[in-house]
Amino acid sequence: MAIHVKRNTGMMGGLAKVALLVDGQHAAKLGNDEATTVSLGEEAVKLKAKQWFFGSKELEVVNDASVEVRINMTAMLLLLAAIVCLFLGVMITPIITAMAVILFLVCIIYSSKNWFQLIRVK
């Protein structure tokens, strides 16, 4: 079984390489728009993407497949909202700054397993 994995994270995810884990074992590191092929036996495998403390949920792939690693837009919007609240809080009121801190904490917790999405490509 061969699994073709391509990283397509765009500009926001292009600073560092993403580690591809196959059944919990490091298989490859992918830069933006890089691809790799993982060859394994006939049984199902679990794929996961990880970068620093950001990660993805596991995706079980049963047979030959193409998988794309993308950034989760919900996590990106949470991060953007936290940054906007931080700038507004500095200029307007400390209450908005406190909201920014809370949003940053929510973003970090959510992004630990949801920053990346592994999507099967047909």
Side-chain angles (χ1 to χ4, degrees):
M1 172 171 64
I3 302 166
H4 183 72
V5 181
K6 182 180 181 193
R7 178 180 170 187
N8 186 13
T9 54
M11 183 174 41
M12 286 303 294
L15 294 177
K17 292 191 175 195
V18 172
L20 179 65
L21 305 175
V22 178
D23 289 332
Q25 301 293 324
H26 176 72
K29 283 199 174 251
L30 297 173
N32 196 28
D33 290 327
E34 287 184 353
T36 188
T37 301
V38 180
S39 299
L40 299 168
E42 293 298 321
E43 56 195 53
V45 296
K46 293 182 180 178
L47 298 177
K48 186 174 183 178
K50 193 160 180 72
Q51 180 185 55
W52 299 326
F53 59 89
F54 296 126
S56 71
K57 293 182 180 178
E58 286 187 343
L59 176 69
E60 187 170 329
V61 180
V62 179
N63 54 9
D64 294 343
S66 292
V67 176
E68 192 169 80
V69 179
R70 295 183 187 165
I71 288 185
N72 185 345
M73 290 310 295
T74 304
M76 185 64 66
L77 291 174
L78 271 173
L79 180 62
L80 182 64
I83 291 170
V84 168
C85 283
L86 182 64
F87 285 130
L88 290 176
V90 169
M91 293 188 295
I92 298 173
T93 179
I95 294 172
I96 299 175
T97 304
M99 279 181 29
V101 170
I102 292 169
L103 278 172
F104 274 119
L105 289 174
V106 168
C107 183
I108 289 170
I109 292 168
Y110 179 75
S111 297
S112 66
K113 291 194 176 181
N114 292 298
W115 185 258
F116 297 107
Q117 292 177 321
L118 297 174
I119 300 171
R120 287 188 184 107
V121 180
K122 304 239 186 258

